[in-house]
Amino acid sequence: MRRTNLPDHLTTGSFSLRASDKAGVTRKRTAAKDLVTVSRGVRVPVLSGATGAAALRAYTDLDDASVLVMPSAARLWNVPLPGYVSGDWRIHLARRRGFSFPRRVNVAGHLLTFLPGETVEHDGVKLTSPARTWLDMASVLKLEDLVAAGDSLVCSHGPDFPVPKDALCSIEELREIVGRHPGMRGVRTARAALELIRVGADSAPETHMRLALIDANLPEPELNHVVRNHLGLPVLWPDAAYLEWKVSLQYDGQHHGGAEQHLRDIERQERSLAYGWLEVRISKHDLEGERPAVVHKVRRALQSRGWK
């Protein structure tokens, strides 16, 4: 006997039996072999290939109180997570205090207090807001990793950049949410991180690079600086810059390993010199160890330009 087709909105990812009931799908149909039961009351079409929000949305549709929190929410906001956290692939699900504790396979349950505006819907999933997600992660992240998480949320680039970017929240929003939860676990780390978060860092390594320089008592570089030509047109976008000494820092991530990117890097370095800038290229190896090589590289470059 031929199976009836599911409504389109149930075919692209996980769905709850609550959602299928609302759509008029019979329980016999939800027990068919083309659907996988990943948890009690949650189905996923075998061929959906669901990832990210599509794979998780059913968990927040089980009832009106459940929201994704902690690393699960952080991943959906594209917050960089260090290895000691990213390995936790459980689904972190919370309900407000007063409701029953979330208990199911592969779910880490939480009971939390949410103030107005601290939960939102994103791509069909109920989860904590960017600022609240960051504050929750303060209980499990080291200071430097919490700064990197905050940098990723407040990062923005204006229209003069090749790829303009809007921030998910502001530093002021992070500061405000910390003030709303003075006794929350991890709030001391959050307060310390607030003083170090800046707008303009595109990746966690860029944040760690900046923090290493600050820790070594070197001047703090400026982010989001645009180098312009004599016509005022943008020509260079360094990851970080020392304007007084015209020293630019460029972090070379994994995507810089290809031949085409290598040629672009050489062209950028030559353009930097043409406009009077000394470019310092930083690799992931320069950020490793208790005395990262980035400090020596940048100190030497600054000294060559007259910094004392």
Side-chain angles (χ1 to χ4, degrees), residues 30-57:
T30 60
K33 292 183 178 180
D34 65 331
L35 301 174
V36 178
T37 301
V38 294
S39 187
R40 185 179 70 258
V42 176
R43 304 288 188 270
V44 178
V46 172
L47 301 178
S48 73
T51 59
L56 297 174
R57 66 190 182 199

PDB file of all heavy atoms in Angstrom, residues 30-57:
ATOM      1  N   THR A  30       3.176   8.080  10.920  1.00  0.00           N
ATOM      2  CA  THR A  30       4.429   8.483  11.583  1.00  0.00           C
ATOM      3  C   THR A  30       5.230   7.285  12.077  1.00  0.00           C
ATOM      4  O   THR A  30       6.363   7.448  12.528  1.00  0.00           O
ATOM      5  CB  THR A  30       4.151   9.427  12.766  1.00  0.00           C
ATOM      6  OG1 THR A  30       3.317   8.770  13.726  1.00  0.00           O
ATOM      7  CG2 THR A  30       3.491  10.706  12.277  1.00  0.00           C
ATOM      8  N   ALA A  31       4.638   6.078  11.987  1.00  0.00           N
ATOM      9  CA  ALA A  31       5.361   4.861  12.363  1.00  0.00           C
ATOM     10  C   ALA A  31       5.953   4.155  11.144  1.00  0.00           C
ATOM     11  O   ALA A  31       6.556   3.090  11.274  1.00  0.00           O
ATOM     12  CB  ALA A  31       4.425   3.905  13.104  1.00  0.00           C
ATOM     13  N   ALA A  32       5.820   4.764   9.956  1.00  0.00           N
ATOM     14  CA  ALA A  32       6.316   4.136   8.727  1.00  0.00           C
ATOM     15  C   ALA A  32       7.840   4.092   8.698  1.00  0.00           C
ATOM     16  O   ALA A  32       8.526   4.850   9.392  1.00  0.00           O
ATOM     17  CB  ALA A  32       5.786   4.898   7.517  1.00  0.00           C
ATOM     18  N   LYS A  33       8.372   3.200   7.869  1.00  0.00           N
ATOM     19  CA  LYS A  33       9.813   2.961   7.842  1.00  0.00           C
ATOM     20  C   LYS A  33      10.616   4.066   7.157  1.00  0.00           C
ATOM     21  O   LYS A  33      11.860   4.049   7.211  1.00  0.00           O
ATOM     22  CB  LYS A  33      10.099   1.627   7.160  1.00  0.00           C
ATOM     23  CG  LYS A  33       9.615   0.426   7.955  1.00  0.00           C
ATOM     24  CD  LYS A  33       9.990  -0.878   7.281  1.00  0.00           C
ATOM     25  CE  LYS A  33       9.531  -2.089   8.116  1.00  0.00           C
ATOM     26  NZ  LYS A  33       9.889  -3.373   7.463  1.00  0.00           N
ATOM     27  N   ASP A  34       9.943   4.988   6.484  1.00  0.00           N
ATOM     28  CA  ASP A  34      10.684   6.100   5.880  1.00  0.00           C
ATOM     29  C   ASP A  34      10.954   7.226   6.878  1.00  0.00           C
ATOM     30  O   ASP A  34      11.509   8.259   6.521  1.00  0.00           O
ATOM     31  CB  ASP A  34       9.941   6.653   4.661  1.00  0.00           C
ATOM     32  CG  ASP A  34       8.602   7.280   5.026  1.00  0.00           C
ATOM     33  OD1 ASP A  34       8.005   6.843   6.030  1.00  0.00           O
ATOM     34  OD2 ASP A  34       8.150   8.186   4.298  1.00  0.00           O
ATOM     35  N   LEU A  35      10.570   6.990   8.139  1.00  0.00           N
ATOM     36  CA  LEU A  35      10.819   7.947   9.209  1.00  0.00           C
ATOM     37  C   LEU A  35      11.630   7.282  10.312  1.00  0.00           C
ATOM     38  O   LEU A  35      11.410   6.116  10.631  1.00  0.00           O
ATOM     39  CB  LEU A  35       9.498   8.474   9.787  1.00  0.00           C
ATOM     40  CG  LEU A  35       8.559   9.183   8.816  1.00  0.00           C
ATOM     41  CD1 LEU A  35       7.248   9.503   9.504  1.00  0.00           C
ATOM     42  CD2 LEU A  35       9.198  10.443   8.257  1.00  0.00           C
ATOM     43  N   VAL A  36      12.566   8.029  10.868  1.00  0.00           N
ATOM     44  CA  VAL A  36      13.408   7.517  11.952  1.00  0.00           C
ATOM     45  C   VAL A  36      12.950   8.144  13.267  1.00  0.00           C
ATOM     46  O   VAL A  36      12.765   9.361  13.349  1.00  0.00           O
ATOM     47  CB  VAL A  36      14.894   7.846  11.711  1.00  0.00           C
ATOM     48  CG1 VAL A  36      15.743   7.351  12.873  1.00  0.00           C
ATOM     49  CG2 VAL A  36      15.374   7.235  10.409  1.00  0.00           C
ATOM     50  N   THR A  37      12.789   7.318  14.283  1.00  0.00           N
ATOM     51  CA  THR A  37      12.475   7.822  15.618  1.00  0.00           C
ATOM     52  C   THR A  37      13.783   8.102  16.337  1.00  0.00           C
ATOM     53  O   THR A  37      14.485   7.178  16.754  1.00  0.00           O
ATOM     54  CB  THR A  37      11.635   6.803  16.411  1.00  0.00           C
ATOM     55  OG1 THR A  37      10.419   6.544  15.710  1.00  0.00           O
ATOM     56  CG2 THR A  37      11.304   7.337  17.796  1.00  0.00           C
ATOM     57  N   VAL A  38      14.132   9.367  16.460  1.00  0.00           N
ATOM     58  CA  VAL A  38      15.407   9.733  17.090  1.00  0.00           C
ATOM     59  C   VAL A  38      15.246   9.973  18.585  1.00  0.00           C
ATOM     60  O   VAL A  38      16.225   9.960  19.334  1.00  0.00           O
ATOM     61  CB  VAL A  38      16.021  10.980  16.418  1.00  0.00           C
ATOM     62  CG1 VAL A  38      16.430  10.675  14.986  1.00  0.00           C
ATOM     63  CG2 VAL A  38      15.056  12.147  16.460  1.00  0.00           C
ATOM     64  N   SER A  39      14.028  10.208  19.017  1.00  0.00           N
ATOM     65  CA  SER A  39      13.730  10.373  20.430  1.00  0.00           C
ATOM     66  C   SER A  39      12.224  10.219  20.604  1.00  0.00           C
ATOM     67  O   SER A  39      11.478  10.241  19.620  1.00  0.00           O
ATOM     68  CB  SER A  39      14.184  11.756  20.920  1.00  0.00           C
ATOM     69  OG  SER A  39      14.041  11.875  22.327  1.00  0.00           O
ATOM     70  N   ARG A  40      11.808  10.053  21.812  1.00  0.00           N
ATOM     71  CA  ARG A  40      10.383   9.877  22.080  1.00  0.00           C
ATOM     72  C   ARG A  40       9.584  11.053  21.526  1.00  0.00           C
ATOM     73  O   ARG A  40       9.784  12.204  21.889  1.00  0.00           O
ATOM     74  CB  ARG A  40      10.149   9.756  23.582  1.00  0.00           C
ATOM     75  CG  ARG A  40       8.724   9.461  23.997  1.00  0.00           C
ATOM     76  CD  ARG A  40       8.621   9.330  25.509  1.00  0.00           C
ATOM     77  NE  ARG A  40       8.813  10.601  26.208  1.00  0.00           N
ATOM     78  CZ  ARG A  40       9.916  10.960  26.824  1.00  0.00           C
ATOM     79  NH1 ARG A  40      10.974  10.152  26.840  1.00  0.00           N
ATOM     80  NH2 ARG A  40      10.004  12.126  27.450  1.00  0.00           N
ATOM     81  N   GLY A  41       8.689  10.765  20.589  1.00  0.00           N
ATOM     82  CA  GLY A  41       7.849  11.815  20.022  1.00  0.00           C
ATOM     83  C   GLY A  41       8.513  12.646  18.950  1.00  0.00           C
ATOM     84  O   GLY A  41       7.961  13.662  18.523  1.00  0.00           O
ATOM     85  N   VAL A  42       9.714  12.240  18.472  1.00  0.00           N
ATOM     86  CA  VAL A  42      10.447  13.002  17.455  1.00  0.00           C
ATOM     87  C   VAL A  42      10.751  12.099  16.266  1.00  0.00           C
ATOM     88  O   VAL A  42      11.276  10.998  16.433  1.00  0.00           O
ATOM     89  CB  VAL A  42      11.761  13.582  18.017  1.00  0.00           C
ATOM     90  CG1 VAL A  42      12.545  14.295  16.922  1.00  0.00           C
ATOM     91  CG2 VAL A  42      11.471  14.530  19.159  1.00  0.00           C
ATOM     92  N   ARG A  43      10.432  12.564  15.072  1.00  0.00           N
ATOM     93  CA  ARG A  43      10.691  11.821  13.846  1.00  0.00           C
ATOM     94  C   ARG A  43      11.551  12.655  12.901  1.00  0.00           C
ATOM     95  O   ARG A  43      11.478  13.886  12.892  1.00  0.00           O
ATOM     96  CB  ARG A  43       9.375  11.480  13.130  1.00  0.00           C
ATOM     97  CG  ARG A  43       8.367  10.711  13.972  1.00  0.00           C
ATOM     98  CD  ARG A  43       8.814   9.268  14.205  1.00  0.00           C
ATOM     99  NE  ARG A  43       7.755   8.496  14.840  1.00  0.00           N
ATOM    100  CZ  ARG A  43       7.594   8.371  16.150  1.00  0.00           C
ATOM    101  NH1 ARG A  43       8.452   8.986  16.974  1.00  0.00           N
ATOM    102  NH2 ARG A  43       6.614   7.648  16.651  1.00  0.00           N
ATOM    103  N   VAL A  44      12.347  11.927  12.080  1.00  0.00           N
ATOM    104  CA  VAL A  44      13.149  12.565  11.034  1.00  0.00           C
ATOM    105  C   VAL A  44      13.004  11.740   9.757  1.00  0.00           C
ATOM    106  O   VAL A  44      13.246  10.528   9.779  1.00  0.00           O
ATOM    107  CB  VAL A  44      14.638  12.648  11.421  1.00  0.00           C
ATOM    108  CG1 VAL A  44      15.448  13.263  10.279  1.00  0.00           C
ATOM    109  CG2 VAL A  44      14.834  13.467  12.687  1.00  0.00           C
ATOM    110  N   PRO A  45      12.607  12.344   8.633  1.00  0.00           N
ATOM    111  CA  PRO A  45      12.560  11.606   7.364  1.00  0.00           C
ATOM    112  C   PRO A  45      13.937  11.067   7.010  1.00  0.00           C
ATOM    113  O   PRO A  45      14.943  11.770   7.124  1.00  0.00           O
ATOM    114  CB  PRO A  45      12.100  12.667   6.351  1.00  0.00           C
ATOM    115  CG  PRO A  45      11.365  13.684   7.176  1.00  0.00           C
ATOM    116  CD  PRO A  45      12.085  13.722   8.489  1.00  0.00           C
ATOM    117  N   VAL A  46      13.987   9.815   6.586  1.00  0.00           N
ATOM    118  CA  VAL A  46      15.257   9.135   6.304  1.00  0.00           C
ATOM    119  C   VAL A  46      16.097   9.920   5.304  1.00  0.00           C
ATOM    120  O   VAL A  46      17.320  10.034   5.439  1.00  0.00           O
ATOM    121  CB  VAL A  46      14.993   7.708   5.782  1.00  0.00           C
ATOM    122  CG1 VAL A  46      16.286   7.071   5.303  1.00  0.00           C
ATOM    123  CG2 VAL A  46      14.357   6.858   6.872  1.00  0.00           C
ATOM    124  N   LEU A  47      15.490  10.483   4.288  1.00  0.00           N
ATOM    125  CA  LEU A  47      16.220  11.134   3.205  1.00  0.00           C
ATOM    126  C   LEU A  47      16.341  12.650   3.371  1.00  0.00           C
ATOM    127  O   LEU A  47      16.750  13.349   2.453  1.00  0.00           O
ATOM    128  CB  LEU A  47      15.543  10.828   1.862  1.00  0.00           C
ATOM    129  CG  LEU A  47      15.437   9.339   1.493  1.00  0.00           C
ATOM    130  CD1 LEU A  47      14.708   9.172   0.167  1.00  0.00           C
ATOM    131  CD2 LEU A  47      16.822   8.714   1.409  1.00  0.00           C
ATOM    132  N   SER A  48      16.011  13.164   4.533  1.00  0.00           N
ATOM    133  CA  SER A  48      16.012  14.621   4.690  1.00  0.00           C
ATOM    134  C   SER A  48      17.419  15.210   4.755  1.00  0.00           C
ATOM    135  O   SER A  48      17.646  16.342   4.338  1.00  0.00           O
ATOM    136  CB  SER A  48      15.246  15.015   5.953  1.00  0.00           C
ATOM    137  OG  SER A  48      15.992  14.692   7.115  1.00  0.00           O
ATOM    138  N   GLY A  49      18.383  14.445   5.298  1.00  0.00           N
ATOM    139  CA  GLY A  49      19.740  14.976   5.464  1.00  0.00           C
ATOM    140  C   GLY A  49      19.775  16.191   6.368  1.00  0.00           C
ATOM    141  O   GLY A  49      20.633  17.068   6.221  1.00  0.00           O
ATOM    142  N   ALA A  50      18.877  16.242   7.330  1.00  0.00           N
ATOM    143  CA  ALA A  50      18.720  17.427   8.172  1.00  0.00           C
ATOM    144  C   ALA A  50      19.939  17.664   9.049  1.00  0.00           C
ATOM    145  O   ALA A  50      20.491  16.744   9.640  1.00  0.00           O
ATOM    146  CB  ALA A  50      17.477  17.288   9.043  1.00  0.00           C
ATOM    147  N   THR A  51      20.368  18.921   9.115  1.00  0.00           N
ATOM    148  CA  THR A  51      21.448  19.344  10.006  1.00  0.00           C
ATOM    149  C   THR A  51      21.050  20.665  10.643  1.00  0.00           C
ATOM    150  O   THR A  51      20.082  21.308  10.237  1.00  0.00           O
ATOM    151  CB  THR A  51      22.774  19.530   9.250  1.00  0.00           C
ATOM    152  OG1 THR A  51      22.593  20.520   8.224  1.00  0.00           O
ATOM    153  CG2 THR A  51      23.238  18.229   8.613  1.00  0.00           C
ATOM    154  N   GLY A  52      21.816  21.095  11.635  1.00  0.00           N
ATOM    155  CA  GLY A  52      21.599  22.399  12.239  1.00  0.00           C
ATOM    156  C   GLY A  52      20.197  22.563  12.793  1.00  0.00           C
ATOM    157  O   GLY A  52      19.637  21.663  13.422  1.00  0.00           O
ATOM    158  N   ALA A  53      19.604  23.730  12.515  1.00  0.00           N
ATOM    159  CA  ALA A  53      18.289  24.047  13.059  1.00  0.00           C
ATOM    160  C   ALA A  53      17.230  23.051  12.602  1.00  0.00           C
ATOM    161  O   ALA A  53      16.346  22.675  13.373  1.00  0.00           O
ATOM    162  CB  ALA A  53      17.892  25.466  12.646  1.00  0.00           C
ATOM    163  N   ALA A  54      17.310  22.606  11.356  1.00  0.00           N
ATOM    164  CA  ALA A  54      16.309  21.673  10.832  1.00  0.00           C
ATOM    165  C   ALA A  54      16.298  20.363  11.607  1.00  0.00           C
ATOM    166  O   ALA A  54      15.251  19.741  11.804  1.00  0.00           O
ATOM    167  CB  ALA A  54      16.567  21.399   9.351  1.00  0.00           C
ATOM    168  N   ALA A  55      17.484  19.936  12.078  1.00  0.00           N
ATOM    169  CA  ALA A  55      17.565  18.669  12.813  1.00  0.00           C
ATOM    170  C   ALA A  55      17.087  18.807  14.246  1.00  0.00           C
ATOM    171  O   ALA A  55      16.704  17.818  14.875  1.00  0.00           O
ATOM    172  CB  ALA A  55      19.004  18.157  12.793  1.00  0.00           C
ATOM    173  N   LEU A  56      17.077  20.042  14.768  1.00  0.00           N
ATOM    174  CA  LEU A  56      16.792  20.238  16.190  1.00  0.00           C
ATOM    175  C   LEU A  56      15.419  20.835  16.476  1.00  0.00           C
ATOM    176  O   LEU A  56      14.982  20.836  17.623  1.00  0.00           O
ATOM    177  CB  LEU A  56      17.862  21.155  16.800  1.00  0.00           C
ATOM    178  CG  LEU A  56      19.296  20.626  16.782  1.00  0.00           C
ATOM    179  CD1 LEU A  56      20.251  21.697  17.291  1.00  0.00           C
ATOM    180  CD2 LEU A  56      19.428  19.363  17.610  1.00  0.00           C
ATOM    181  N   ARG A  57      14.742  21.316  15.468  1.00  0.00           N
ATOM    182  CA  ARG A  57      13.530  22.095  15.717  1.00  0.00           C
ATOM    183  C   ARG A  57      12.438  21.310  16.437  1.00  0.00           C
ATOM    184  O   ARG A  57      11.664  21.882  17.204  1.00  0.00           O
ATOM    185  CB  ARG A  57      12.989  22.657  14.406  1.00  0.00           C
ATOM    186  CG  ARG A  57      12.484  21.616  13.421  1.00  0.00           C
ATOM    187  CD  ARG A  57      12.189  22.223  12.079  1.00  0.00           C
ATOM    188  NE  ARG A  57      11.660  21.227  11.150  1.00  0.00           N
ATOM    189  CZ  ARG A  57      11.661  21.377   9.834  1.00  0.00           C
ATOM    190  NH1 ARG A  57      12.168  22.483   9.290  1.00  0.00           N
ATOM    191  NH2 ARG A  57      11.160  20.432   9.058  1.00  0.00           N
TER     192      ARG A  57
END
